[in-house]
CSV table of all heavy atoms in Angstrom, one decimal:
chain,number,residue,atom,x,y,z
A,699,GLU,N,-11.1,1.6,-7.3
A,699,GLU,CA,-12.5,1.4,-6.9
A,699,GLU,C,-13.0,2.9,-6.6
A,699,GLU,O,-12.7,3.5,-5.6
A,699,GLU,CB,-12.6,0.6,-5.6
A,699,GLU,CG,-14.0,0.4,-5.1
A,699,GLU,CD,-14.0,-0.3,-3.7
A,699,GLU,OE1,-13.2,0.1,-2.9
A,699,GLU,OE2,-14.9,-1.2,-3.6
A,700,CYS,N,-13.8,3.4,-7.5
A,700,CYS,CA,-14.2,4.8,-7.4
A,700,CYS,C,-15.5,5.0,-6.8
A,700,CYS,O,-16.4,4.1,-6.8
A,700,CYS,CB,-14.1,5.5,-8.8
A,700,CYS,SG,-15.4,4.8,-9.9
A,701,GLY,N,-15.7,6.2,-6.2
A,701,GLY,CA,-17.0,6.7,-5.8
A,701,GLY,C,-17.7,5.9,-4.7
A,701,GLY,O,-18.9,5.8,-4.6
A,702,VAL,N,-16.9,5.4,-3.7
A,702,VAL,CA,-17.4,4.6,-2.6
A,702,VAL,C,-17.3,5.4,-1.3
A,702,VAL,O,-16.2,5.8,-0.9
A,702,VAL,CB,-16.7,3.3,-2.5
A,702,VAL,CG1,-17.2,2.5,-1.3
A,702,VAL,CG2,-16.8,2.4,-3.7
A,703,GLN,N,-18.4,5.7,-0.7
A,703,GLN,CA,-18.4,6.3,0.7
A,703,GLN,C,-18.2,5.1,1.7
A,703,GLN,O,-18.8,4.1,1.5
A,703,GLN,CB,-19.7,7.0,1.0
A,703,GLN,CG,-19.8,8.4,0.4
A,703,GLN,CD,-21.0,9.1,0.8
A,703,GLN,OE1,-22.0,8.5,1.1
A,703,GLN,NE2,-20.9,10.5,0.9
A,704,ARG,N,-17.6,5.4,2.8
A,704,ARG,CA,-17.3,4.3,3.7
A,704,ARG,C,-18.1,4.5,5.0
A,704,ARG,O,-18.2,3.5,5.8
A,704,ARG,CB,-15.8,4.3,4.0
A,704,ARG,CG,-15.0,4.4,2.7
A,704,ARG,CD,-13.8,3.4,2.7
A,704,ARG,NE,-13.2,3.6,1.4
A,704,ARG,CZ,-13.3,2.7,0.4
A,704,ARG,NH1,-13.9,1.6,0.6
A,704,ARG,NH2,-12.7,2.9,-0.8
A,705,THR,N,-18.6,5.7,5.3
A,705,THR,CA,-19.5,5.8,6.5
A,705,THR,C,-20.6,6.8,6.2
A,705,THR,O,-20.7,7.3,5.1
A,705,THR,CB,-18.7,6.4,7.7
A,705,THR,OG1,-18.1,7.6,7.3
A,705,THR,CG2,-17.6,5.4,8.2
A,717,ILE,N,-19.1,16.0,8.3
A,717,ILE,CA,-18.8,14.6,7.8
A,717,ILE,C,-17.5,14.2,8.3
A,717,ILE,O,-16.6,15.0,8.7
A,717,ILE,CB,-19.0,14.6,6.3
A,717,ILE,CG1,-17.9,15.5,5.6
A,717,ILE,CG2,-20.4,14.9,5.9
A,717,ILE,CD1,-17.8,15.4,4.2
A,718,GLU,N,-17.2,12.9,8.1
A,718,GLU,CA,-15.9,12.3,8.3
A,718,GLU,C,-15.2,12.4,6.9
A,718,GLU,O,-15.8,12.5,5.9
A,718,GLU,CB,-16.0,10.8,8.7
A,718,GLU,CG,-16.8,10.6,9.9
A,718,GLU,CD,-15.9,10.8,11.2
A,718,GLU,OE1,-14.8,11.2,11.0
A,718,GLU,OE2,-16.4,10.6,12.3
A,719,GLN,N,-13.8,12.3,7.0
A,719,GLN,CA,-13.1,12.3,5.7
A,719,GLN,C,-13.5,11.1,4.8
A,719,GLN,O,-13.5,11.2,3.6
A,719,GLN,CB,-11.6,12.2,6.0
A,719,GLN,CG,-11.0,13.3,6.8
A,719,GLN,CD,-10.8,12.8,8.2
A,719,GLN,OE1,-11.7,12.3,8.9
A,719,GLN,NE2,-9.6,12.9,8.7
A,720,SER,N,-13.9,10.0,5.4
A,720,SER,CA,-14.2,8.8,4.6
A,720,SER,C,-15.5,8.9,3.9
A,720,SER,O,-15.9,8.1,3.1
A,720,SER,CB,-14.3,7.6,5.6
A,720,SER,OG,-15.2,7.8,6.6
A,721,GLU,N,-16.3,10.0,4.1
A,721,GLU,CA,-17.6,10.2,3.4
A,721,GLU,C,-17.4,10.9,2.1
A,721,GLU,O,-18.2,10.9,1.2
A,721,GLU,CB,-18.6,10.9,4.3
A,721,GLU,CG,-19.0,10.1,5.5
A,721,GLU,CD,-19.8,10.9,6.5
A,721,GLU,OE1,-20.9,11.4,6.2
A,721,GLU,OE2,-19.2,11.1,7.6
A,722,ALA,N,-16.2,11.6,2.0
A,722,ALA,CA,-15.8,12.2,0.7
A,722,ALA,C,-14.3,12.0,0.6
A,722,ALA,O,-13.6,13.0,0.5
A,722,ALA,CB,-16.2,13.7,0.8
A,723,PRO,N,-13.9,10.8,0.5
A,723,PRO,CA,-12.5,10.5,0.4
A,723,PRO,C,-11.7,11.0,-0.8
A,723,PRO,O,-10.5,11.0,-0.8
A,723,PRO,CB,-12.4,8.9,0.5
A,723,PRO,CG,-13.7,8.5,-0.1
A,723,PRO,CD,-14.7,9.5,0.3
A,724,TRP,N,-12.5,11.5,-1.8
A,724,TRP,CA,-11.9,12.0,-3.0
A,724,TRP,C,-11.6,13.5,-2.8
A,724,TRP,O,-10.9,14.1,-3.7
A,724,TRP,CB,-12.8,11.8,-4.2
A,724,TRP,CG,-14.2,12.2,-3.8
A,724,TRP,CD1,-14.8,13.4,-3.8
A,724,TRP,CD2,-15.3,11.2,-3.5
A,724,TRP,NE1,-16.1,13.3,-3.4
A,724,TRP,CE2,-16.4,12.0,-3.2
A,724,TRP,CE3,-15.3,9.8,-3.3
A,724,TRP,CZ2,-17.6,11.4,-2.8
A,724,TRP,CZ3,-16.5,9.2,-2.9
A,724,TRP,CH2,-17.6,10.0,-2.7
A,725,GLN,N,-12.1,14.1,-1.8
A,725,GLN,CA,-11.9,15.6,-1.6
A,725,GLN,C,-10.4,15.9,-1.2
A,725,GLN,O,-9.9,15.3,-0.3
A,725,GLN,CB,-12.8,16.1,-0.5
A,725,GLN,CG,-12.7,17.6,-0.2
A,725,GLN,CD,-13.5,18.4,-1.2
A,725,GLN,OE1,-14.1,17.9,-2.1
A,725,GLN,NE2,-13.4,19.7,-1.1
A,726,VAL,N,-9.8,16.9,-1.8
A,726,VAL,CA,-8.5,17.3,-1.4
A,726,VAL,C,-8.5,18.8,-1.2
A,726,VAL,O,-9.4,19.6,-1.7
A,726,VAL,CB,-7.4,17.0,-2.5
A,726,VAL,CG1,-7.3,15.5,-2.7
A,726,VAL,CG2,-7.7,17.7,-3.8
A,743,GLY,N,-10.3,20.2,-4.6
A,743,GLY,CA,-10.3,19.4,-5.8
A,743,GLY,C,-10.7,18.0,-5.5
A,743,GLY,O,-11.1,17.6,-4.4
A,744,SER,N,-10.7,17.1,-6.6
A,744,SER,CA,-11.2,15.8,-6.5
A,744,SER,C,-10.2,14.8,-7.0
A,744,SER,O,-9.6,15.0,-8.1
A,744,SER,CB,-12.5,15.6,-7.3
A,744,SER,OG,-13.5,16.5,-6.8
A,745,ILE,N,-9.9,13.7,-6.3
A,745,ILE,CA,-9.0,12.6,-6.7
A,745,ILE,C,-9.7,11.7,-7.7
A,745,ILE,O,-10.8,11.3,-7.5
A,745,ILE,CB,-8.6,11.8,-5.5
A,745,ILE,CG1,-7.9,12.6,-4.4
A,745,ILE,CG2,-7.7,10.6,-6.0
A,745,ILE,CD1,-7.6,11.9,-3.2
A,746,ILE,N,-9.1,11.5,-8.9
A,746,ILE,CA,-9.6,10.5,-9.8
A,746,ILE,C,-8.7,9.4,-10.0
A,746,ILE,O,-9.0,8.4,-10.7
A,746,ILE,CB,-10.0,11.2,-11.1
A,746,ILE,CG1,-8.8,11.8,-11.8
A,746,ILE,CG2,-11.1,12.2,-10.9
A,746,ILE,CD1,-9.1,12.2,-13.2
A,775,ALA,N,-3.3,18.3,-0.2
A,775,ALA,CA,-3.5,17.4,1.0
A,775,ALA,C,-4.8,16.6,0.9
A,775,ALA,O,-5.9,17.1,0.5
A,775,ALA,CB,-3.6,18.2,2.3
A,776,ALA,N,-4.7,15.3,1.1
A,776,ALA,CA,-5.8,14.4,1.1
A,776,ALA,C,-6.1,13.9,2.5
A,776,ALA,O,-5.2,13.8,3.3
A,776,ALA,CB,-5.6,13.2,0.1
A,777,GLY,N,-7.4,13.5,2.7
A,777,GLY,CA,-7.7,13.0,4.1
A,777,GLY,C,-7.6,14.2,5.1
A,777,GLY,O,-7.4,13.9,6.3
A,778,LYS,N,-7.8,15.4,4.6
A,778,LYS,CA,-7.7,16.6,5.5
A,778,LYS,C,-9.1,17.0,6.1
A,778,LYS,O,-10.0,17.3,5.3
A,778,LYS,CB,-7.1,17.7,4.7
A,778,LYS,CG,-6.6,18.9,5.5
A,778,LYS,CD,-5.2,18.6,6.0
A,778,LYS,CE,-4.6,19.9,6.7
A,778,LYS,NZ,-5.3,20.2,8.0
A,825,PHE,N,-1.0,9.4,-3.8
A,825,PHE,CA,-1.6,9.2,-2.5
A,825,PHE,C,-1.8,7.7,-2.3
A,825,PHE,O,-2.1,6.9,-3.3
A,825,PHE,CB,-3.0,9.9,-2.5
A,825,PHE,CG,-2.9,11.4,-2.4
A,825,PHE,CD1,-3.7,12.2,-3.2
A,825,PHE,CD2,-2.1,12.0,-1.4
A,825,PHE,CE1,-3.6,13.6,-3.1
A,825,PHE,CE2,-2.0,13.4,-1.3
A,825,PHE,CZ,-2.7,14.2,-2.1
A,827,PHE,N,-4.2,5.0,-1.0
A,827,PHE,CA,-5.6,4.9,-0.7
A,827,PHE,C,-5.8,4.1,0.6
A,827,PHE,O,-5.1,3.2,0.9
A,827,PHE,CB,-6.3,4.2,-1.9
A,827,PHE,CG,-6.5,5.0,-3.1
A,827,PHE,CD1,-7.0,4.5,-4.3
A,827,PHE,CD2,-6.1,6.4,-3.1
A,827,PHE,CE1,-7.2,5.3,-5.4
A,827,PHE,CE2,-6.3,7.2,-4.2
A,827,PHE,CZ,-6.8,6.6,-5.4
A,828,ASN,N,-6.8,4.6,1.3
A,828,ASN,CA,-7.2,4.0,2.6
A,828,ASN,C,-8.6,4.4,2.9
A,828,ASN,O,-9.3,4.8,2.0
A,828,ASN,CB,-6.2,4.4,3.7
A,828,ASN,CG,-6.1,5.9,3.9
A,828,ASN,OD1,-7.1,6.6,3.7
A,828,ASN,ND2,-5.0,6.4,4.3
A,829,GLU,N,-9.1,4.2,4.1
A,829,GLU,CA,-10.5,4.5,4.4
A,829,GLU,C,-10.8,6.0,4.2
A,829,GLU,O,-12.0,6.3,3.9
A,829,GLU,CB,-10.8,4.2,5.9
A,829,GLU,CG,-10.7,2.7,6.2
A,829,GLU,CD,-11.8,1.9,5.5
A,829,GLU,OE1,-12.9,2.4,5.3
A,829,GLU,OE2,-11.5,0.7,5.1
A,830,ASN,N,-9.8,6.9,4.3
A,830,ASN,CA,-10.1,8.3,4.2
A,830,ASN,C,-9.6,8.9,2.9
A,830,ASN,O,-9.9,10.1,2.6
A,830,ASN,CB,-9.4,9.1,5.3
A,830,ASN,CG,-10.0,8.7,6.7
A,830,ASN,OD1,-11.1,8.3,6.8
A,830,ASN,ND2,-9.1,8.7,7.7
A,831,VAL,N,-9.0,8.2,2.0
A,831,VAL,CA,-8.4,8.7,0.8
A,831,VAL,C,-8.7,7.7,-0.3
A,831,VAL,O,-8.2,6.5,-0.3
A,831,VAL,CB,-6.9,8.9,0.9
A,831,VAL,CG1,-6.4,9.5,-0.4
A,831,VAL,CG2,-6.6,9.9,2.0
A,832,SER,N,-9.5,8.1,-1.3
A,832,SER,CA,-9.7,7.2,-2.5
A,832,SER,C,-10.3,8.1,-3.6
A,832,SER,O,-10.4,9.3,-3.4
A,832,SER,CB,-10.7,6.1,-2.2
A,832,SER,OG,-11.9,6.5,-1.7
A,833,ALA,N,-10.7,7.5,-4.7
A,833,ALA,CA,-11.1,8.3,-5.9
A,833,ALA,C,-12.6,8.4,-6.1
A,833,ALA,O,-13.3,7.5,-5.7
A,833,ALA,CB,-10.4,7.6,-7.2
A,834,VAL,N,-13.0,9.5,-6.8
A,834,VAL,CA,-14.4,9.6,-7.2
A,834,VAL,C,-14.5,9.1,-8.7
A,834,VAL,O,-13.5,9.1,-9.4
A,834,VAL,CB,-14.8,11.1,-7.2
A,834,VAL,CG1,-14.1,11.9,-8.2
A,834,VAL,CG2,-16.3,11.2,-7.3
A,855,VAL,N,-18.4,19.6,-1.2
A,855,VAL,CA,-17.8,19.5,0.1
A,855,VAL,C,-16.9,20.7,0.3
A,855,VAL,O,-16.2,21.1,-0.6
A,855,VAL,CB,-17.0,18.2,0.3
A,855,VAL,CG1,-16.3,18.1,1.6
A,855,VAL,CG2,-17.9,17.0,0.1
A,864,LEU,N,-14.6,19.8,7.6
A,864,LEU,CA,-15.3,19.5,6.3
A,864,LEU,C,-16.8,19.4,6.6
A,864,LEU,O,-17.3,18.9,7.6
A,864,LEU,CB,-14.9,18.1,5.9
A,864,LEU,CG,-13.6,18.0,5.1
A,864,LEU,CD1,-13.4,16.6,4.7
A,864,LEU,CD2,-13.6,18.9,3.9
A,920,TYR,N,-20.5,7.4,-6.5
A,920,TYR,CA,-20.6,8.8,-6.7
A,920,TYR,C,-19.7,9.2,-7.9
A,920,TYR,O,-18.5,8.8,-8.0
A,920,TYR,CB,-20.1,9.5,-5.4
A,920,TYR,CG,-21.1,9.3,-4.3
A,920,TYR,CD1,-21.1,8.2,-3.5
A,920,TYR,CD2,-22.1,10.2,-4.1
A,920,TYR,CE1,-22.1,8.0,-2.5
A,920,TYR,CE2,-23.1,10.1,-3.1
A,920,TYR,CZ,-23.1,8.9,-2.3
A,920,TYR,OH,-24.0,8.8,-1.3
Side-chain angles (χ1 to χ4, degrees):
E699 180 188 45
C700 66
V702 177
Q703 280 187 330
R704 313 221 177 254
T705 58
I717 62 172
E718 301 279 4
Q719 301 102 306
S720 56
E721 294 167 66
W724 44 82
Q725 180 79 5
V726 297
S744 304
I745 301 172
I746 62 170
K778 194 84 174 66
F825 287 132
F827 286 174
N828 55 34
E829 293 295 326
N830 295 331
V831 180
S832 59
V834 68
V855 175
L864 280 182
Y920 291 86

